[in-house]
Amino acid sequence: MGTQILAHYHLPGLFEFYDFYSEFLPLYRKHPEYFYDWCQITSIYGSPEDCLWGGGRTGSGTSDSKDVFALMNEYKISPRLTFSNSLLQEIHLTDKKCNLLCNLFKNSRVPTGIIIHSDLLLDYLKKNYSNFYFISSTTKVLTDFADFQKELNREDFSYVVPDFRLNKSFEKLNPLSQNQKDKVEFLCNECCNFSCSERKICYQNVSRKNLGLDVVSHKCTAPDSQKGYRFSSAKKNPAFIGIDDIQKKYLPAGFSNFKIEGRGLGSAMLLEFLLYYMVKPEYQLIVREEIYLDAMLDLF
């Protein structure tokens, strides 16, 4: 009998959801019977508040970086720093806060990953912090498969996150070599409109904000964007990757890395993602109660 191929999940909110993970990870370790045996938490990604190198979302979370570092080491989960700002210049490379983060996380027992957009920053980190591995950020919006494949072939990157609209391009994905497949990290639960043409503009706006520039917030014009993120809507997205897809399509085809978005959405939504993607149905209420359910809680 062959070795079971595991789905490796890359979860959001390294700094933002530190308190949540402090409760969830002990449960994850103590009660493996609650969780599907075909998946595991491989990394948790994010950037702290006021992180100049941050991108994708404005940095959030004020948890002490040393506490975050210790939690990841304790549970042997790879921390990933989201340094995907696309507009960095030479002057930004000496930012004290970001370099202090690098100096801390370079000593992690489990290798630290850097989610990155800027080649300028990539070269700087390779020169100054040799222990990191790198993930090509979805903020590059690689919607052309040839561009995506070119990115996969770059030796700099251990993983590449394509634009979510390539998720179901099986006629092009399946012929990839196994080495290429091992580097593909699919964004599973994106709620952004499949036809959106403003995605790169939106990410650039976030990069400007993280640089401290005075910018007007980008207003998405996609249908239903005013409702914000809803998991029910994400599940209807043509690019959505559900647990049946993972088990029956992606794992058998040789793909094993799956990214769950969720920074800025709140820990209640994060828990719903983890219940869906990781927890057996018969244990979902138990996990929900263990994490945060207060019998006296009033929602309104």
Side-chain angles (χ1 to χ4, degrees), residues 53-80:
W53 293 352
R57 300 286 185 273
T58 51
S60 56
T62 57
S63 300
D64 189 292
S65 57
K66 293 180 181 178
D67 292 337
V68 172
F69 176 81
L71 185 67
M72 295 299 98
N73 275 327
E74 180 180 353
Y75 288 92
K76 296 181 173 59
I77 293 173
S78 175
R80 289 184 172 183

mmCIF file of all heavy atoms in Angstrom, residues 53-80:
data_model
loop_
_atom_site.group_PDB
_atom_site.id
_atom_site.type_symbol
_atom_site.label_atom_id
_atom_site.label_comp_id
_atom_site.label_asym_id
_atom_site.label_seq_id
_atom_site.Cartn_x
_atom_site.Cartn_y
_atom_site.Cartn_z
ATOM 1 N N TRP A 53 6.797 46.326 4.651
ATOM 2 C CA TRP A 53 6.980 45.369 3.561
ATOM 3 C C TRP A 53 5.729 44.552 3.275
ATOM 4 O O TRP A 53 5.699 43.752 2.349
ATOM 5 C CB TRP A 53 8.113 44.404 3.889
ATOM 6 C CG TRP A 53 9.479 45.021 3.955
ATOM 7 C CD1 TRP A 53 9.836 46.300 3.618
ATOM 8 C CD2 TRP A 53 10.687 44.376 4.396
ATOM 9 N NE1 TRP A 53 11.183 46.498 3.825
ATOM 10 C CE2 TRP A 53 11.733 45.332 4.297
ATOM 11 C CE3 TRP A 53 10.985 43.103 4.867
ATOM 12 C CZ2 TRP A 53 13.048 45.032 4.650
ATOM 13 C CZ3 TRP A 53 12.297 42.801 5.214
ATOM 14 C CH2 TRP A 53 13.322 43.758 5.104
ATOM 15 N N GLY A 54 4.682 44.735 4.068
ATOM 16 C CA GLY A 54 3.481 43.920 3.935
ATOM 17 C C GLY A 54 2.710 44.211 2.661
ATOM 18 O O GLY A 54 2.809 45.279 2.064
ATOM 19 N N GLY A 55 1.914 43.236 2.253
ATOM 20 C CA GLY A 55 1.080 43.382 1.063
ATOM 21 C C GLY A 55 -0.091 42.431 1.111
ATOM 22 O O GLY A 55 -0.250 41.661 2.049
ATOM 23 N N GLY A 56 -0.917 42.481 0.071
ATOM 24 C CA GLY A 56 -2.098 41.627 0.017
ATOM 25 C C GLY A 56 -3.228 42.195 0.853
ATOM 26 O O GLY A 56 -4.323 42.449 0.361
ATOM 27 N N ARG A 57 -2.971 42.374 2.121
ATOM 28 C CA ARG A 57 -3.869 43.053 3.062
ATOM 29 C C ARG A 57 -3.015 44.003 3.887
ATOM 30 O O ARG A 57 -1.805 43.801 4.019
ATOM 31 C CB ARG A 57 -4.555 42.057 4.016
ATOM 32 C CG ARG A 57 -5.415 41.006 3.341
ATOM 33 C CD ARG A 57 -6.711 41.591 2.820
ATOM 34 N NE ARG A 57 -7.581 40.551 2.284
ATOM 35 C CZ ARG A 57 -7.538 40.104 1.036
ATOM 36 N NH1 ARG A 57 -6.636 40.590 0.206
ATOM 37 N NH2 ARG A 57 -8.372 39.175 0.624
ATOM 38 N N THR A 58 -3.628 45.026 4.437
ATOM 39 C CA THR A 58 -2.874 45.856 5.367
ATOM 40 C C THR A 58 -2.550 44.998 6.585
ATOM 41 O O THR A 58 -3.374 44.215 7.043
ATOM 42 C CB THR A 58 -3.695 47.081 5.800
ATOM 43 O OG1 THR A 58 -4.983 46.655 6.242
ATOM 44 C CG2 THR A 58 -3.833 48.062 4.649
ATOM 45 N N GLY A 59 -1.335 45.133 7.085
ATOM 46 C CA GLY A 59 -0.897 44.324 8.215
ATOM 47 C C GLY A 59 -1.828 44.482 9.399
ATOM 48 O O GLY A 59 -2.347 45.561 9.659
ATOM 49 N N SER A 60 -2.056 43.392 10.088
ATOM 50 C CA SER A 60 -2.939 43.464 11.248
ATOM 51 C C SER A 60 -2.436 42.511 12.313
ATOM 52 O O SER A 60 -1.748 41.545 12.041
ATOM 53 C CB SER A 60 -4.380 43.110 10.861
ATOM 54 O OG SER A 60 -4.436 41.847 10.252
ATOM 55 N N GLY A 61 -2.773 42.812 13.534
ATOM 56 C CA GLY A 61 -2.327 41.988 14.648
ATOM 57 C C GLY A 61 -1.213 42.672 15.412
ATOM 58 O O GLY A 61 -0.215 43.088 14.834
ATOM 59 N N THR A 62 -1.414 42.799 16.705
ATOM 60 C CA THR A 62 -0.429 43.468 17.558
ATOM 61 C C THR A 62 0.229 42.500 18.531
ATOM 62 O O THR A 62 0.866 42.928 19.484
ATOM 63 C CB THR A 62 -1.101 44.603 18.348
ATOM 64 O OG1 THR A 62 -2.197 44.064 19.110
ATOM 65 C CG2 THR A 62 -1.623 45.682 17.403
ATOM 66 N N SER A 63 0.078 41.216 18.291
ATOM 67 C CA SER A 63 0.684 40.225 19.172
ATOM 68 C C SER A 63 2.196 40.368 19.155
ATOM 69 O O SER A 63 2.801 40.691 18.125
ATOM 70 C CB SER A 63 0.294 38.812 18.728
ATOM 71 O OG SER A 63 -1.099 38.641 18.769
ATOM 72 N N ASP A 64 2.813 40.111 20.302
ATOM 73 C CA ASP A 64 4.264 40.186 20.411
ATOM 74 C C ASP A 64 4.898 39.150 19.478
ATOM 75 O O ASP A 64 4.536 37.969 19.514
ATOM 76 C CB ASP A 64 4.677 39.927 21.852
ATOM 77 C CG ASP A 64 6.144 40.205 22.088
ATOM 78 O OD1 ASP A 64 6.992 39.461 21.554
ATOM 79 O OD2 ASP A 64 6.453 41.165 22.822
ATOM 80 N N SER A 65 5.826 39.598 18.648
ATOM 81 C CA SER A 65 6.433 38.703 17.661
ATOM 82 C C SER A 65 7.166 37.540 18.318
ATOM 83 O O SER A 65 7.220 36.437 17.763
ATOM 84 C CB SER A 65 7.380 39.485 16.751
ATOM 85 O OG SER A 65 8.370 40.154 17.502
ATOM 86 N N LYS A 66 7.695 37.755 19.529
ATOM 87 C CA LYS A 66 8.386 36.673 20.231
ATOM 88 C C LYS A 66 7.400 35.602 20.678
ATOM 89 O O LYS A 66 7.729 34.406 20.671
ATOM 90 C CB LYS A 66 9.167 37.232 21.423
ATOM 91 C CG LYS A 66 10.333 38.128 21.023
ATOM 92 C CD LYS A 66 11.078 38.662 22.247
ATOM 93 C CE LYS A 66 12.224 39.562 21.820
ATOM 94 N NZ LYS A 66 12.934 40.143 22.995
ATOM 95 N N ASP A 67 6.198 36.005 21.055
ATOM 96 C CA ASP A 67 5.165 35.033 21.417
ATOM 97 C C ASP A 67 4.738 34.222 20.191
ATOM 98 O O ASP A 67 4.547 33.003 20.271
ATOM 99 C CB ASP A 67 3.953 35.738 22.014
ATOM 100 C CG ASP A 67 4.236 36.359 23.372
ATOM 101 O OD1 ASP A 67 5.194 35.906 24.049
ATOM 102 O OD2 ASP A 67 3.522 37.304 23.750
ATOM 103 N N VAL A 68 4.568 34.913 19.080
ATOM 104 C CA VAL A 68 4.195 34.247 17.834
ATOM 105 C C VAL A 68 5.285 33.246 17.428
ATOM 106 O O VAL A 68 5.006 32.093 17.070
ATOM 107 C CB VAL A 68 3.974 35.284 16.713
ATOM 108 C CG1 VAL A 68 3.775 34.591 15.369
ATOM 109 C CG2 VAL A 68 2.779 36.175 17.052
ATOM 110 N N PHE A 69 6.519 33.693 17.492
ATOM 111 C CA PHE A 69 7.671 32.853 17.171
ATOM 112 C C PHE A 69 7.680 31.595 18.049
ATOM 113 O O PHE A 69 7.865 30.468 17.558
ATOM 114 C CB PHE A 69 8.952 33.664 17.386
ATOM 115 C CG PHE A 69 10.234 32.912 17.186
ATOM 116 C CD1 PHE A 69 10.747 32.708 15.918
ATOM 117 C CD2 PHE A 69 10.938 32.413 18.282
ATOM 118 C CE1 PHE A 69 11.936 32.022 15.740
ATOM 119 C CE2 PHE A 69 12.124 31.726 18.112
ATOM 120 C CZ PHE A 69 12.626 31.530 16.831
ATOM 121 N N ALA A 70 7.451 31.762 19.340
ATOM 122 C CA ALA A 70 7.468 30.634 20.269
ATOM 123 C C ALA A 70 6.336 29.654 19.982
ATOM 124 O O ALA A 70 6.522 28.428 20.062
ATOM 125 C CB ALA A 70 7.375 31.151 21.702
ATOM 126 N N LEU A 71 5.157 30.173 19.634
ATOM 127 C CA LEU A 71 4.017 29.296 19.350
ATOM 128 C C LEU A 71 4.282 28.430 18.128
ATOM 129 O O LEU A 71 3.998 27.230 18.133
ATOM 130 C CB LEU A 71 2.764 30.143 19.138
ATOM 131 C CG LEU A 71 1.456 29.362 18.951
ATOM 132 C CD1 LEU A 71 1.068 28.640 20.245
ATOM 133 C CD2 LEU A 71 0.331 30.292 18.505
ATOM 134 N N MET A 72 4.830 29.014 17.081
ATOM 135 C CA MET A 72 5.127 28.245 15.871
ATOM 136 C C MET A 72 6.195 27.189 16.144
ATOM 137 O O MET A 72 6.105 26.059 15.656
ATOM 138 C CB MET A 72 5.581 29.178 14.748
ATOM 139 C CG MET A 72 4.511 30.149 14.264
ATOM 140 S SD MET A 72 3.040 29.359 13.578
ATOM 141 C CE MET A 72 1.932 29.423 15.010
ATOM 142 N N ASN A 73 7.187 27.539 16.939
ATOM 143 C CA ASN A 73 8.223 26.565 17.288
ATOM 144 C C ASN A 73 7.660 25.419 18.117
ATOM 145 O O ASN A 73 8.028 24.252 17.931
ATOM 146 C CB ASN A 73 9.360 27.246 18.052
ATOM 147 C CG ASN A 73 10.384 27.871 17.119
ATOM 148 O OD1 ASN A 73 10.642 27.360 16.034
ATOM 149 N ND2 ASN A 73 10.968 28.975 17.534
ATOM 150 N N GLU A 74 6.772 25.761 19.049
ATOM 151 C CA GLU A 74 6.207 24.735 19.916
ATOM 152 C C GLU A 74 5.449 23.684 19.120
ATOM 153 O O GLU A 74 5.524 22.484 19.406
ATOM 154 C CB GLU A 74 5.288 25.369 20.950
ATOM 155 C CG GLU A 74 4.647 24.365 21.898
ATOM 156 C CD GLU A 74 3.725 24.999 22.933
ATOM 157 O OE1 GLU A 74 3.679 26.253 22.995
ATOM 158 O OE2 GLU A 74 3.059 24.248 23.660
ATOM 159 N N TYR A 75 4.714 24.136 18.095
ATOM 160 C CA TYR A 75 3.880 23.213 17.332
ATOM 161 C C TYR A 75 4.510 22.807 15.997
ATOM 162 O O TYR A 75 3.876 22.134 15.189
ATOM 163 C CB TYR A 75 2.486 23.819 17.122
ATOM 164 C CG TYR A 75 1.709 23.823 18.414
ATOM 165 C CD1 TYR A 75 1.745 24.936 19.261
ATOM 166 C CD2 TYR A 75 1.020 22.697 18.832
ATOM 167 C CE1 TYR A 75 1.077 24.923 20.475
ATOM 168 C CE2 TYR A 75 0.343 22.679 20.044
ATOM 169 C CZ TYR A 75 0.384 23.789 20.858
ATOM 170 O OH TYR A 75 -0.271 23.763 22.078
ATOM 171 N N LYS A 76 5.763 23.215 15.798
ATOM 172 C CA LYS A 76 6.529 22.824 14.606
ATOM 173 C C LYS A 76 5.769 23.142 13.319
ATOM 174 O O LYS A 76 5.637 22.316 12.411
ATOM 175 C CB LYS A 76 6.909 21.342 14.673
ATOM 176 C CG LYS A 76 7.847 21.002 15.831
ATOM 177 C CD LYS A 76 8.212 19.530 15.828
ATOM 178 C CE LYS A 76 9.274 19.216 16.882
ATOM 179 N NZ LYS A 76 8.844 19.553 18.260
ATOM 180 N N ILE A 77 5.240 24.366 13.288
ATOM 181 C CA ILE A 77 4.529 24.874 12.112
ATOM 182 C C ILE A 77 5.361 25.999 11.508
ATOM 183 O O ILE A 77 5.837 26.884 12.228
ATOM 184 C CB ILE A 77 3.131 25.384 12.502
ATOM 185 C CG1 ILE A 77 2.257 24.203 12.963
ATOM 186 C CG2 ILE A 77 2.465 26.116 11.341
ATOM 187 C CD1 ILE A 77 0.924 24.621 13.532
ATOM 188 N N SER A 78 5.530 25.964 10.213
ATOM 189 C CA SER A 78 6.352 26.972 9.549
ATOM 190 C C SER A 78 5.669 28.341 9.598
ATOM 191 O O SER A 78 4.540 28.491 9.118
ATOM 192 C CB SER A 78 6.594 26.577 8.087
ATOM 193 O OG SER A 78 7.299 27.596 7.407
ATOM 194 N N PRO A 79 6.337 29.352 10.170
ATOM 195 C CA PRO A 79 5.789 30.715 10.086
ATOM 196 C C PRO A 79 6.130 31.307 8.719
ATOM 197 O O PRO A 79 7.219 31.074 8.180
ATOM 198 C CB PRO A 79 6.534 31.455 11.199
ATOM 199 C CG PRO A 79 7.845 30.741 11.316
ATOM 200 C CD PRO A 79 7.599 29.306 10.938
ATOM 201 N N ARG A 80 5.204 32.036 8.166
ATOM 202 C CA ARG A 80 5.454 32.711 6.885
ATOM 203 C C ARG A 80 5.170 34.203 7.049
ATOM 204 O O ARG A 80 4.064 34.591 7.454
ATOM 205 C CB ARG A 80 4.577 32.142 5.774
ATOM 206 C CG ARG A 80 4.961 30.740 5.330
ATOM 207 C CD ARG A 80 4.108 30.305 4.168
ATOM 208 N NE ARG A 80 4.550 29.045 3.589
ATOM 209 C CZ ARG A 80 3.999 28.481 2.515
ATOM 210 N NH1 ARG A 80 2.970 29.085 1.923
ATOM 211 N NH2 ARG A 80 4.461 27.342 2.045
#
